[in-house]
Amino acid sequence: MRVGVASLYHESNTFIKSPTTLDDFRRGFLGTGAEIPSRFSWTHHEIMGFFDSLKAEGIEAVPLVVAWATPAGPIAVDAWQELLDLLSRELTQAGRLDGVLVAPHGAAVTTDRRSVDGDWVGLIRRHIGPDVPLIGTCDPHANLSRSLVAACDAMIAYRSNPHLDQRQRGLEAARMMARTLRGEIRPVLAAALPPFVINIERQLTSAEPCVSVYRHADAMLKRSGVLSNSIILGFPYADVPDIGCSTLVVTDGNAALAQSLADELARELWSRREAFQGHLIDVPTALAMASQSTGPICLLDMGDNIGGGSPGDGTVLAEALDRQEGASFVALFDPTAAETAIRSGEGAILRLSMGGKIDHRHGEPLEQAVTVRGIFPGTFTESEPRHGGQKSFDMGPTAIVETTNGMTIQLTSQRVFPVSLGQLTSCGLRPEQFKMIVAKGVHAPQGAYGPVCALMIRVNTPGVTSADLSTFNFRQRRKPMYPFETTATFP
């Protein structure tokens, strides 16, 4: 048996003007054939789960295409077409396939405002025909499209946010493929799409209201004939008709049961819709909360969430912290400032303009006299499962500078998810030396920073990933839709 493996993976924020290009994918990862297993062989990613499980089942894995870029603006149409052409060529060259495993994100959008995960998975379906099993994984931040559901025999979303179970979901999907090919099961997929958006601040799966819904989903898995179920929390920063939460259920050959249970799980979500509205904490309130606790305290910069596509150079919290007592840390993506500090050398004292350069939605540049405390290559590895499944990270040439008020600023040349303490330790810093640490994320940093911080405060800062959805002008979403229209109903 030969099973293809493919992934075109991107989380696209349509409120960002600059497009994601093919070069952005090349900077992330863009590979075919043997390049794929060698790149993912030591990760906690679902792609590695695919390969490991297929090997254990005695099935040949046929790597097709994997393309990944850091979340950012919509994918340029020409870049997307090149990716589709590459996938088509690899499918043709692969020869006969007995099945295909796919890993879409579920929130990819092109600059002409099309949700496109259904496009590329649909391309595979047309190539292999209706009878060859096609099974996939997806991110729970997907905005699920009917076309993606229609193309698949089964789809399994990660079950944790932060995403620490990606490899497990890859293993699960590949085991389901093996059982399907052996004729033991016949997966049937159904989806339900209640009309509401879950605020990003409420999407921590280890806390309420998510805990109760996942408890219901776990109990459902014990019912006869149920192979899998998934809760899709949705990605609020894509202005597309598919925006919103959803549910998936896979049964063994029973389409009616799959749909009934998907609807049941969606009603469970819908019944808690008020609890899924964001609890918004502004900067002064967050600092007041932090003052009542011993450190380190992690301030999660929700408006400048790199995992949601933001620039990573927001200065709102940096400005506020520089006026506070106690040591603090913030990372800013600013290649120009990093280069200036590196060129000046360790120990140099200079005046820098830091952050706030990409746009004016995340604060103005921070103008400060600083001392260069260290210069680093910006690379590090992470041994534990972390959000995104990566083990290898590259911030580019990085400078550590300190303001006259004692705030430590990390100036990076590349945007990097703040999901590993290696971001600090690789630069000779320790979390415990700071009273407050700014992490440019919402839930992704929880796995690394939660165990070492006395308190995690999600701060409603401005920006392209703000938790205050009233600051965004949605034009293409469904109507009515909760919480925008409280008159929305389901079913």
Side-chain angles (χ1 to χ4, degrees), residues 21 54 72 82 154 161 171 177 195 261 287 292 322 335 397 412 420 461:
T21 66
L54 290 175
E82 288 194 54
N161 186 32
L171 291 169
M177 175 64 75
L261 295 181
L287 294 181
Q292 303 301 311
D322 202 40
T412 72
S420 169
T461 50

Side-chain angles (χ1 to χ4, degrees), residues 24 27-28 76 90 131 151 175 185 192 245 263-264 304 309 360 378 424 441 474:
D24 292 317
R27 277 188 288 270
E90 292 299 315
D131 300 323
R175 283 195 296 266
I185 57 173
C245 62
D263 292 341
E264 177 187 322
D304 193 22
H360 296 287
L424 277 71
F474 291 92

Side-chain angles (χ1 to χ4, degrees), residues 135-181:
I135 296 172
T137 58
C138 72
D139 194 295
H141 293 111
N143 290 320
L144 198 66
S145 67
R146 290 289 185 185
S147 59
L148 179 58
V149 174
C152 296
D153 295 288
M155 180 65 65
I156 302 168
Y158 318 149
R159 229 169 173 81
S160 70
N161 186 32
H163 309 327
L164 307 180
D165 64 331
Q166 289 177 246
R167 182 174 180 275
Q168 289 92 324
R169 300 289 77 79
L171 291 169
E172 181 183 353
R175 283 195 296 266
M176 187 181 290
M177 175 64 75
R179 294 186 66 197
T180 302
L181 292 176

